[in-house]
Amino acid sequence: MTLMFLAGCDPNRFARAAGTQAQAAQVPAALAVADEERRIGRTLPTYPDQCRQTHRSGVAAGDRLDAALIKTDRALSRANGQIRECGVWYDEMKRGIAQ
């Protein structure tokens, strides 16, 4: 019984109550942000199929080393080009959403 009485005498109870009210005031703004993020998520374009494409070198057993190196280098160049194209697509999409 005495502990309940002393809990009511806490000198910081008003500061805590004000903090709770401040946090509650932020809820509508947070919900609005969440709604906007959900809306943006629904309007994102589909990821391009060419960005999901994989590349293989085509090196076969018995290929000469110089030919295997050329095939591997070409496959790597195709993959790097694809990465650059998909990066540009993503940056343009992101820029459009940020506006």
Side-chain angles (χ1 to χ4, degrees), residues 47-66:
Y47 198 63
D49 289 335
Q50 64 267 24
C51 290
R52 297 184 191 279
Q53 181 182 1
T54 58
H55 300 275
R56 302 197 51 91
S57 67
V59 175
D63 281 350
R64 292 186 2 210
L65 290 180
D66 59 342

Side-chain angles (χ1 to χ4, degrees), residues 33-45:
V33 169
D35 287 340
E36 181 66 12
E37 287 177 351
R38 255 187 258 112
R39 184 193 66 75
I40 289 171
R42 285 192 301 265
T43 61
L44 288 177

Side-chain angles (χ1 to χ4, degrees), residues 4-86:
M4 291 177 67
F5 173 75
L6 293 176
C9 295
D10 181 12
N12 297 324
R13 69 182 182 273
F14 296 114
R16 273 197 301 268
T20 303
Q21 289 174 348
Q23 291 171 356
Q26 295 172 347
V27 170
L31 290 174
V33 169
D35 287 340
E36 181 66 12
E37 287 177 351
R38 255 187 258 112
R39 184 193 66 75
I40 289 171
R42 285 192 301 265
T43 61
L44 288 177
T46 57
Y47 198 63
D49 289 335
Q50 64 267 24
C51 290
R52 297 184 191 279
Q53 181 182 1
T54 58
H55 300 275
R56 302 197 51 91
S57 67
V59 175
D63 281 350
R64 292 186 2 210
L65 290 180
D66 59 342
L69 179 61
I70 291 171
K71 288 180 180 181
T72 302
D73 190 46
R74 287 181 181 162
L76 183 59
S77 294
R78 285 192 307 271
N80 286 336
Q82 174 184 326
I83 289 169
R84 281 190 299 275
E85 290 173 12
C86 294

